[in-house]
Amino acid sequence: MAGVTKVKIEESAEELRELLKKQKTALGKERIQALYLLKIGQVRTIQDLAVVLGRGSATVQRWFKAYT
């Protein structure tokens, strides 16, 4: 399936939820939220995630590239 991410998220959903609460910037919150949504299975593809976050898929892909 095109757009399916193969990023291995090491943090647990609970850890990501705690990190989300600690973020002070909107960009930081969006990036952690992206990881969280993938971790819990709410979205499956980069395109779906981009739509939910209101960002371009290229932007989301850059975030994951920086994460790995």
Side-chain angles (χ1 to χ4, degrees):
M1 177 184 263
V4 174
T5 183
K6 295 188 181 2
V7 173
K8 177 133 171 74
I9 301 170
E10 299 294 329
E11 296 83 4
S12 69
E14 181 61 34
E15 289 172 317
L16 291 169
R17 226 184 348 252
E18 290 302 316
L19 282 171
L20 191 57
K21 291 177 187 177
K22 293 177 183 178
Q23 295 303 305
K24 297 188 187 294
T25 65
L27 182 58
K29 287 179 184 179
E30 281 182 314
R31 289 178 177 191
I32 300 297
Q33 184 180 20
L35 293 171
Y36 180 72
L37 291 173
L38 277 173
K39 185 70 173 190
I40 65 171
Q42 187 167 342
V43 294
R44 294 190 59 212
T45 66
I46 297 289
Q47 184 62 39
D48 291 343
L49 189 54
V51 169
V52 169
L53 296 175
R55 294 290 189 150
S57 57
T59 299
V60 176
Q61 287 173 337
R62 265 195 319 273
W63 292 351
F64 286 121
K65 188 174 181 182
Y67 174 73
T68 57

